[in-house]
Amino acid sequence: MGLFSWIILGLLSGALARLMMPEVYTAGLFATTILGIIGALVGGFIGSLLGIGSVTGLNLGSIFLSVIGAFVVLFLFIKFRGR
């Protein structure tokens, strides 16, 4: 995947993860994109560990895994931050 694909995937998955927990975490476009990119990495790692796939591009499976990863990252961020 190219850099542009990671940015688009990160923006999509970060926005979807924030929609799942809107009142808990508010951030700008840059922070949402970074959250989504880290979530894509985490989601791809979790998916490959479970044998259900990995993040390979802009497709529904990759978006699903990256949203799950972004949700996990957001959940852990909130727990460790103390909110």
Side-chain angles (χ1 to χ4, degrees):
M1 256 175 37
L3 179 65
F4 186 69
S5 298
W6 277 105
I7 292 171
I8 297 299
L9 182 64
L11 184 61
L12 281 172
S13 61
L16 289 173
R18 279 187 52 207
L19 283 174
M20 293 165 68
M21 294 163 64
E23 70 279 348
V24 176
Y25 180 70
T26 58
L29 186 64
F30 181 74
T32 301
T33 304
I34 296 300
L35 167 71
I37 291 172
I38 294 171
L41 293 171
V42 170
F45 180 72
I46 291 170
S48 65
L49 280 179
L50 296 176
I52 57 174
S54 64
V55 177
T56 58
L58 287 175
N59 54 41
L60 288 177
S62 295
I63 292 172
F64 178 73
L65 282 175
S66 63
V67 168
I68 295 213
F71 186 75
V72 167
V73 169
L74 183 58
F75 178 77
L76 291 175
F77 176 76
I78 290 167
K79 286 295 181 187
F80 285 121
R81 198 172 85 175
R83 242 184 177 183

